[in-house]
């Protein structure tokens, strides 16, 4: 296994930038660094590093940010610089959703999640790059271009939270929000050697009108370089929202319990094509859990992968058509082929299609609830970071991918039923780019999954393997 360079030059980076958000906030509270200095160090780091990866976009004026840092409101994130994913509305800051149709869009109000960040004292410095409307797990768009992998800038940083993952890996920010419909937190976390957590559906309340029952496919969540930072941001993101009936927050940590039963699913009995070398990484990662006292058992596929894919693609296309169908009618030239395909597929969905998809989802939910394991383990992606100039990989290990997102099928089991899923660093491939491992828990058992991740984090040092940028 080939590892990347392991040290970011200490002469270039102030110690504060090297630490996680918890330590940065502690330094601010202790007065060993001022909010203005932390902001200045952050902006200097972005200036030095961002041109190579293109993770931060719509960066705001330096003097404005320095002044805002000094008057940040009191709260758990007071004075911490953060860049928000460019799918979340930010009042007064350009929010493009990666689409040329919204190139100059200035929202009048923050999204509910962004409003929580601001109330907690975070200083919003700009946005993190994302694919157009978050579609696809490779962060490129016609507005800002491609986000590149910090460990190999010729490769993808993943997506749709690719900008967030790359910014964290490069120490441009210490905390990042993300969103996850089809692995959009988990894939870039794995490919950027950081942690990404998709919470149980409803823990982080969404916003806006619309159907609250059928979709339930996407959620916002935290990304960070430590589990304690994930919990720090999750506590803010999951503030209870009485306007959202599914809101189950706030997140509450709990003391670790006894050993957990982990079911390893690998390539789902051969259903998921895997690039050579991907599965080889997990022997050591799973051995770490065994050494920590947890039991790890390779289990047979508990459900039909084909049925899961059928349900997923039906519900996904139907949801996307409902959200973005008007854009296709109003600005057809502004719609990329993948989005057009999703919308047209969704518009063709029948009532019987939806009923069958919902029945499959329900059967899978019942299946997971009755499984004799506490956590399912799967790779966070089916191949290592691919060429940044590709739109998406058309084959894996000789198996053709029949859609722009088929190569991310491995994330569907958690997404389809809103299960909590944590991506933890699992090592590096022979090319030197990272890969992650998904730990998937039962609905509502978010703290159990994060406690398991904390055990793993303490027993490994992957986060210390930093990119040479």
């Amino acid at each position: 296994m080939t590892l990347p360079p392991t040290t970011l030059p200490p002469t270039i980076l102030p110690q504060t930038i090297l630490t996680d958000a918890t330590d940065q906030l502690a330094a601010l509270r202790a007065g060993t660094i001022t909010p203005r200095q932390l902001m200045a160090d952050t902006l200097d780091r972005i200036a030095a590093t961002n041109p190579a990866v293109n993770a931060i976009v719509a960066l705001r004026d330096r003097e404005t940010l320095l002044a805002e840092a000094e008057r940040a409101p009191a709260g758990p994130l007071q004075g911490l610089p953060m860049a928000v994913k460019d799918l979340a509305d930010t009042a007064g800051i350009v929010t493009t959703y990666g689409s040329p149709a919204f190139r100059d869009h200035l929202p009048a109000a923050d999204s509910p999640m962004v409003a929580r960040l601001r109330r907690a004292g975070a200083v919003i410095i700009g946005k993190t790059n994302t694919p157009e409307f978050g579609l696809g797990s490779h962060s490129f768009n016609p507005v800002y271009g491609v986000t590149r992998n910090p460990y190999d800038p010729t490769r993808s940083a993943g997506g749709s939270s690719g900008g967030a993952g790359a910014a964290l890996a490069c120490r441009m920010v210490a905390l990042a929000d993300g969103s996850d419909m089809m692995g959009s937190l988990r894939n870039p976390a794995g490919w950027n050697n950081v942690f990404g957590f998709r919470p149980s559906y409803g823990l982080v309340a969404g916003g806006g009108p619309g159907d609250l029952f059928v979709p339930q496919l996407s959620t916002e969540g935290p990304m960070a370089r430590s589990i304690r930072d994930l919990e720090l941001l999750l506590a803010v993101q999951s503030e209870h929202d009485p306007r959202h009936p599914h809101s189950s927050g706030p997140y509450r940590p709990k003391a670790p319990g006894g050993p957990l039963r982990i079911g390893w699913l690998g390539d789902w009995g051969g259903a998921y094509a895997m690039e050579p070398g991907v599965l080889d990484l997990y022997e050591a990662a799973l051995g770490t859990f065994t050494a920590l006292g947890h039991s790890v058992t390779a289990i047979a596929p508990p459900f039909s992968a084909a049925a899961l894919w059928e349900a997923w693609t039906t519900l996904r296309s139907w949801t996307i058509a409902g959200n973005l169908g008007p854009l296709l009618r109003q600005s057809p030239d502004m719609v990329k082929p993948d989005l057009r395909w999703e919308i047209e597929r969704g518009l063709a969905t029948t009532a019987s299609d939806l009923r069958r998809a919902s029945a499959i989802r329900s059967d899978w939910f019942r299946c997971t609830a009755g499984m004799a394991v506490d956590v399912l383990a799967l790779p966070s992606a089916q191949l290592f970071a691919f060429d940044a100039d590709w739109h998406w990989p058309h084959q894996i290990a000789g198996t053709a991918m029949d859609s722009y997102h088929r190569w991310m099928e491995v994330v569907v089991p958690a997404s389809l039923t809103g299960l909590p899923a944590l991506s933890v660093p699992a090592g590096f491939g022979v090319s030197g780019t990272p890969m992650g491992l998904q730990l998937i828990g039962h609905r509502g058992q978010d703290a159990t999954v994060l406690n398991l991740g904390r055990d793993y984090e303490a027993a490994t040092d992957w986060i210390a393997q930093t990119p040479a940028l």
Side-chain angles (χ1 to χ4, degrees):
M1 179 172 65
T2 302
L3 294 181
T6 58
T7 305
L8 289 166
T11 56
I12 295 176
L13 287 179
Q15 183 61 34
T16 303
I17 297 298
L18 287 170
T19 60
D20 67 2
T22 300
D23 279 345
Q24 289 184 13
L25 290 163
L28 289 172
R29 288 191 293 269
T32 57
I33 188 171
T34 66
R36 187 180 183 89
Q37 186 59 54
L38 177 59
M39 180 62 72
D41 290 346
T42 297
L43 296 176
D44 288 347
R45 179 61 181 164
I46 292 171
T49 307
N50 196 52
V53 295
N54 191 37
I56 305 289
V57 297
L59 185 65
R60 300 173 62 207
D61 173 71
R62 182 183 182 95
E63 291 305 316
T64 299
L65 289 172
L66 291 173
E68 280 192 16
E70 293 182 315
R71 60 175 186 267
L77 303 180
Q78 184 176 8
L80 190 75
M82 284 191 68
V84 173
K85 185 174 178 180
D86 201 27
L87 296 184
D89 283 353
T90 43
I93 305 173
V94 173
T95 301
T96 73
Y97 319 116
S99 169
F102 292 89
R103 184 183 298 273
D104 301 313
H105 175 53
L106 281 173
D110 289 327
S111 73
M113 188 274 298
V114 174
R116 294 172 203 138
L117 296 180
R118 291 201 203 259
R119 284 197 299 270
V123 182
I124 309 304
I125 63 173
K127 310 304 284 283
T128 55
N129 204 26
T130 182
E132 194 171 348
F133 293 112
L135 296 185
S137 213
H138 176 32
S139 295
F140 72 97
N141 62 67
V143 181
Y144 295 118
V146 179
T147 296
R148 297 177 177 275
N149 194 297
Y151 291 88
D152 181 350
T154 70
R155 302 282 165 172
S156 170
S160 61
S161 306
L168 284 167
C170 290
R171 275 56 178 173
M172 287 190 266
V173 293
L175 276 185
D177 72 290
S179 55
D180 190 304
M181 188 182 205
M182 191 176 175
S184 290
L185 273 169
R186 290 163 282 163
N187 164 250
W191 280 5
N192 288 281
N193 196 40
V194 298
F195 296 98
F197 184 59
R198 178 195 167 101
S200 293
Y201 182 78
L203 184 57
V204 176
D211 182 12
L212 289 172
F213 288 97
V214 178
Q216 295 194 26
L217 301 181
S218 183
T219 181
E220 292 163 317
M223 299 176 71
R225 296 193 299 268
S226 66
I227 297 296
R228 66 180 185 173
D229 276 7
L230 284 183
E231 290 192 312
L232 170 70
L233 182 52
L234 182 59
V236 172
Q237 291 178 314
S238 64
E239 175 186 311
H240 181 70
D241 187 347
R243 299 166 300 176
H244 195 296
H246 286 299
S247 178
S248 60
Y251 168 75
R252 292 182 175 86
K254 68 178 184 180
L260 297 177
R261 300 162 297 175
I262 301 171
W264 168 239
L265 283 163
D267 61 2
W268 205 275
Y272 300 149
M274 295 282 171
E275 182 179 355
V278 169
L279 293 179
D280 297 339
L281 288 181
Y282 298 108
E283 182 176 350
L286 296 170
T288 299
F289 292 112
T290 302
L292 289 167
H294 305 289
S295 67
V296 179
T297 305
I299 61 175
F303 205 84
S304 164
L308 294 177
W309 184 249
E310 177 190 344
W312 174 257
T313 52
T314 298
L315 292 167
R316 176 182 167 95
S317 293
W318 179 82
T319 300
I320 290 171
N323 292 336
L324 295 174
L327 180 65
L328 179 61
R329 293 192 296 271
Q330 296 164 10
S331 306
D333 294 339
M334 294 287 190
V335 174
K336 69 177 183 178
D338 298 335
L339 175 56
R340 178 184 294 273
W341 175 80
E342 289 277 18
I343 292 172
E344 291 175 348
R345 192 174 186 277
L347 293 175
T349 300
T350 66
S352 60
D353 293 333
L354 275 179
R355 181 177 177 82
R356 175 173 168 76
S358 187
I360 292 171
R361 175 166 61 172
S362 299
D363 286 343
W364 170 232
F365 203 5
R366 280 186 283 265
C367 178
T368 60
M371 292 182 69
V373 295
D374 303 299
V375 171
L376 294 173
L378 280 164
S380 66
Q382 293 166 232
L383 75 169
F384 294 102
F386 54 79
D387 193 312
D389 293 330
W390 296 0
H391 284 186
W392 46 277
H394 289 266
Q395 64 87 25
I396 299 176
T399 299
M401 300 291 104
D402 57 5
S403 71
Y404 76 99
H405 52 10
R406 188 64 179 247
W407 63 276
M408 283 300 297
E409 190 174 0
V410 73
V411 302
V412 167
S415 295
L416 188 59
T417 47
L419 304 180
L422 172 67
S423 178
V424 299
F428 295 78
V430 294
S431 66
T433 57
M435 179 59 75
L437 171 70
Q438 293 182 82
L439 302 172
I440 303 168
H442 293 286
R443 177 78 77 92
Q445 296 300 308
D446 298 70
T448 297
V449 175
L450 289 169
N451 282 337
L452 181 61
R454 185 180 291 103
D455 282 353
Y456 177 81
E457 177 189 15
T460 60
D461 67 348
W462 294 120
I463 290 291
Q465 310 296 328
T466 53
L469 289 176

